[in-house]
Amino acid sequence: MLTLRNIVTKLQIHSKQVTYCTKAIVEQTSPIISKRSYEDENYFYQRPREVWLENIDTVERKKLGLVFLHPDVYAASPRIDIIQENIRWQRMYRFVCYAHTKIRSEVRGGGRKPWPQKGLGRARHSSIRSPLWRGGGVVHGPRSPTTHFYMLPFYTRVVGLTSTLSVKLAQDDLYIINDLEIPSNEPSYVEELIEKRHWGPSVLFVDTDDVMPINITEATDTIKHVNLMPVYGLNVYSMLKHNTLVLTERAARLIEDKILYHLHRPDSHKLMSKFKLNQ
Amino acid sequence: MAGKQGKDLALSMLRTLPRVALNNIRNNPGANKPSKRGRGQHGGDKHGAGNKGSGQRQNFMRTGYETGNNPFYLRFSYEPYYKGHHLRREYPPLSLQQLQMFIDTNRLDPSKPIDLVSIINTGLYDFRIEWKHAGVHLTDEGVDNFKAKVNIEVQWASEPVIAAIEKNGGTITTAYYDIHCLHVIKDVDRFFTTGVPIPRRLLPPSDCLEYYMSAETRGYLANPEEISRERLVLSQKYGYELPKIEDNPNYEMLTQRKDPRQLFYGLEPGWVVSLKDKAILKPTADYLKEFYSS
């Protein structure tokens, strides 16, 4: 104990001279406890979620501290059905169907009556392009372009996000890191990191801004299953598409802030009014 | 897992299940209604319409027709219960319990006068002009739990409500807003973007003029001296000691009143508020000043 104190005091005096051993001291610093006060913290039904704060600047995992997260966002009810509705919406709203068939007026020819109405003993027909004919027009066939755009109700989208985040955290597929700084711009470093941490092949890194550090940008550029995303782009599909979701601490806080705002905003009825089915 | 319930239980069960991914999720069974009816052996048959008759053919009788009887809706002569109903003003209720909740949850600031504008701005009061809503009717539900000391302006209040507010050392006024002003108040942000001057409030129509001139109902057109006398009368009737608002440190706030022509505290009719430039434009012409003066 005494020797440790001596070392610390010496280091404080000669901090610049002994830079080579300051690293050991840094590792001994007290862990970061990232805790926030919430307005409803006295009325929590569940406990705040505790997540390790990790680093990615070394391949080996270092636990830098602990992050406490709001249970309404990171321990919400895992509504698989709402997640599925979100996935379907994200697939469908951008989908335009180009399947196309011709109706009888669009099929070439068929203007002439194929044979007289009466006297031949044959069935009466007015056009060789009638839907009854082989090579005729198609009734109620697909018509291009058919859009499938629709909007999911606002709070179904919000609950989709909370459900997915909660599922990811519950299944140990959500990690929180301090920042996105890595020492090298080699893709092999990221691959090694993911291999070592058992983060699965595909990983989604999320930060607050859309301008990321240069090293990780270059390193992940060629790896197609490792992607970077700002918080404003976070969505249910991408979270499920990737095995592991890695949030920076400030991104986790920003997501929490935004979702809590939407869960408690007073004008929520205005947002939902256009999704009402009656009245 | 023991002892866990609800969400925590569900989340702890997920830990041992395969990773939730795009390929293993589905909606709840029965959530999607098929758009086509079954054919042939796959639910063909009657398609749920039953056997024969109007149920199957969907040729229902017209509404109210009783197969030849004198129909119920024609059996009695007309009585105009709802005559003029579409013209009558409606005051949607706001209970004292709700008001206390708004204050406790920081939706309303009791250190400032509370009026229709601030109540609508909470976002929790359903106010629809198209339903002839004309303002707040403060009701006495939760009167025993009401502890706030407020200066509130409502459109309709009963005697026990007035007593409850004055017992706590607060003040209450009943005030009338005409339909044009209500459109402004309903969405103040939107109104300020229009660049239209704040209108002047019109006087109440004859059917409620008496209510708003009466001191018993704390009307905004009543004589202030009569109101202070009525406050004392009410306290004696309900048997409580009237707190002296003169001694209150918030005396100025508690006695703040709007002008009968005024819509917003601090803003006068005729002014144009520009939120973009953060500026207030006031009328300078004499005829405008005369028009907007009370």
Side-chain angles (χ1 to χ4, degrees):
Chain A
M1 195 67 203
L2 200 70
T3 50
L4 184 72
R5 196 182 294 160
N6 285 342
I7 292 171
V8 170
T9 43
K10 265 192 180 175
L11 279 171
Q12 280 169 348
I13 297 161
H14 311 287
S15 58
K16 281 187 182 170
Q17 293 160 1
V18 283
T19 44
Y20 63 91
C21 69
T22 47
K23 206 181 170 194
I25 294 298
V26 167
E27 284 173 1
Q28 282 180 14
T29 50
S30 56
I32 303 160
I33 301 296
S34 169
K35 206 169 188 177
R36 260 192 189 182
S37 67
Y38 306 101
E39 284 194 7
D40 54 344
E41 62 189 359
N42 297 329
Y43 308 101
F44 278 170
Y45 184 70
Q46 296 159 284
R47 283 188 181 170
R49 282 302 182 267
E50 297 168 16
V51 187
W52 290 114
L53 181 64
E54 300 174 25
N55 70 325
I56 54 166
D57 55 4
T58 57
V59 172
E60 284 75 35
R61 182 190 190 198
K62 273 189 225 157
K63 291 172 181 171
L64 305 175
L66 207 56
V67 186
F68 289 77
L69 296 171
H70 198 291
D72 284 1
V73 180
Y74 292 94
S77 185
R79 289 285 300 268
I80 305 291
D81 55 326
I82 290 183
I83 293 176
Q84 197 275 342
E85 277 176 27
N86 273 269
I87 295 292
R88 182 177 181 275
W89 169 67
Q90 281 191 263
R91 279 178 171 148
M92 294 302 278
Y93 75 77
R94 61 205 301 183
F95 173 56
V96 179
C97 180
Y98 291 106
H100 191 71
T101 54
K102 288 181 175 175
I103 58 170
R104 58 186 293 171
S105 62
E106 288 166 353
V107 185
R108 187 185 177 90
R112 188 179 59 146
K113 192 168 175 69
W115 49 76
Q117 181 84 352
K118 297 174 82 72
L120 295 183
R122 304 190 66 178
R124 48 198 181 187
H125 282 289
S126 64
S127 164
I128 62 162
R129 299 306 182 200
S130 151
L132 302 181
W133 282 57
R134 181 183 164 275
V138 178
V139 180
H140 299 312
R143 302 288 288 169
S144 167
T146 309
T147 58
H148 292 269
F149 178 86
Y150 69 102
M151 279 312 275
L152 213 54
F154 184 81
Y155 280 95
T156 315
R157 283 176 268 158
V158 173
V159 172
L161 288 172
T162 57
S163 290
T164 315
L165 286 167
S166 308
V167 166
K168 281 278 172 196
L169 184 59
Q171 298 197 320
D172 288 339
D173 291 331
L174 189 149
Y175 294 91
I176 294 190
I177 54 174
N178 55 346
D179 56 21
L180 287 175
E181 295 292 346
I182 54 171
S184 131
N185 63 356
E186 288 299 313
S188 58
Y189 176 82
V190 175
E191 278 168 352
E192 202 185 335
L193 178 87
I194 289 168
E195 181 73 27
K196 184 86 179 171
R197 307 265 176 115
H198 302 295
W199 279 356
S202 57
V203 181
L204 181 67
F205 289 96
V206 179
D207 200 1
T208 48
D209 306 323
D210 44 12
V211 180
M212 311 277 181
I214 188 77
N215 272 355
I216 194 157
T217 312
E218 285 177 3
T220 57
D221 196 28
T222 52
I223 316 174
K224 291 192 174 174
H225 51 270
V226 177
N227 291 303
L228 306 177
M229 187 177 265
V231 163
Y232 66 72
L234 192 70
N235 61 86
V236 175
Y237 191 93
S238 301
M239 282 194 274
L240 287 201
K241 178 87 179 164
H242 295 82
N243 294 138
T244 304
L245 178 67
V246 180
L247 309 175
T248 60
E249 193 207 336
R250 56 174 191 264
R253 291 294 182 207
L254 186 61
I255 293 166
E256 196 180 68
D257 282 347
K258 288 191 164 193
I259 288 179
L260 285 177
Y261 166 70
H262 287 305
L263 288 177
H264 298 127
R265 61 189 292 177
D267 57 345
S268 53
H269 65 283
K270 273 188 199 165
L271 294 167
M272 291 300 283
S273 63
K274 61 182 166 188
F275 297 107
K276 274 187 180 172
L277 291 178
N278 47 19
Q279 286 178 4
Chain B
M1 213 165 103
K4 283 183 178 169
Q5 290 177 344
K7 297 173 194 173
D8 283 334
L9 177 63
L11 290 168
S12 66
M13 284 162 73
L14 271 174
R15 285 182 70 84
T16 54
L17 290 170
R19 177 182 284 137
V20 175
L22 294 173
N23 59 348
N24 59 8
I25 51 172
R26 62 156 171 75
N27 210 331
N28 287 336
N32 292 328
K33 196 181 172 192
S35 60
K36 291 172 183 168
R37 66 200 170 108
R39 299 281 180 181
Q41 67 180 35
H42 310 289
D45 203 24
K46 306 280 193 292
H47 303 293
N51 199 15
K52 289 212 269 187
S54 61
Q56 192 176 37
R57 303 196 185 95
Q58 307 215 333
N59 53 355
F60 303 109
M61 290 177 293
R62 68 168 195 268
T63 314
Y65 185 62
E66 295 178 14
T67 62
N69 293 343
N70 191 15
F72 186 81
Y73 74 97
L74 294 174
R75 208 173 291 165
F76 313 103
S77 54
Y78 173 69
E79 290 200 15
Y81 304 112
Y82 294 111
K83 190 177 180 186
H85 180 262
H86 65 294
L87 298 172
R88 300 188 66 182
R89 290 184 305 279
E90 185 182 337
Y91 298 97
L94 177 80
S95 66
L96 285 173
Q97 182 88 38
Q98 279 173 297
L99 184 64
Q100 183 68 50
M101 187 268 283
F102 290 176
I103 292 165
D104 291 345
T105 52
N106 291 334
R107 261 77 177 236
L108 284 176
D109 184 6
S111 67
K112 285 177 187 163
I114 296 168
D115 61 348
L116 184 59
V117 181
S118 55
I119 291 172
I120 290 175
N121 283 348
T122 60
L124 302 176
Y125 181 71
D126 194 14
F127 187 77
R128 302 183 191 200
I129 293 180
E130 65 271 24
W131 290 7
K132 305 296 275 182
H133 286 180
V136 177
H137 174 198
L138 199 60
T139 60
D140 59 357
E141 190 182 335
V143 64
D144 298 330
N145 300 331
F146 188 73
K147 298 284 182 290
K149 188 186 289 185
V150 288
N151 173 11
I152 189 167
E153 185 192 80
V154 293
Q155 279 59 57
W156 209 266
S158 59
E159 199 181 62
V161 170
I162 295 172
I165 286 177
E166 289 179 353
K167 185 185 174 186
N168 290 348
T171 53
I172 181 168
T173 320
T174 52
Y176 172 80
Y177 292 91
D178 61 283
I179 182 80
H180 190 51
C181 296
L182 289 172
H183 273 289
V184 174
I185 287 172
K186 186 190 149 200
D187 196 344
V188 181
D189 259 0
R190 197 204 56 79
F191 173 74
F192 284 156
T193 57
T194 58
V196 174
I198 300 169
R200 57 182 197 147
R201 189 148 50 124
L202 299 184
L203 292 174
S206 55
D207 60 341
C208 62
L209 185 61
E210 200 178 336
Y211 184 88
Y212 291 114
M213 287 182 72
S214 149
E216 288 100 57
T217 55
R218 310 292 184 264
Y220 73 124
L221 300 173
N223 186 355
E225 287 170 12
E226 278 183 39
I227 287 182
S228 58
R229 191 170 61 82
E230 287 297 331
R231 280 166 62 87
L232 195 65
V233 169
L234 195 63
S235 71
Q236 286 172 355
K237 180 176 176 184
Y238 278 78
Y240 58 88
E241 195 182 340
L242 190 67
K244 275 194 176 178
I245 56 167
E246 292 85 0
D247 303 339
N248 196 301
N250 290 336
Y251 173 72
E252 289 209 345
M253 187 281 290
L254 288 172
T255 51
Q256 205 177 341
R257 294 283 178 277
K258 282 182 195 172
D259 189 84
R261 294 289 190 191
Q262 197 180 8
L263 250 70
F264 305 110
Y265 285 106
L267 295 175
E268 284 177 23
W271 291 6
V272 179
V273 177
S274 166
L275 293 179
K276 193 181 172 189
D277 302 336
K278 292 193 167 45
I280 293 175
L281 309 173
K282 298 174 185 174
T284 50
D286 288 336
Y287 75 97
L288 284 176
K289 283 181 185 169
E290 193 189 333
F291 177 77
Y292 284 115
S293 65
S294 68

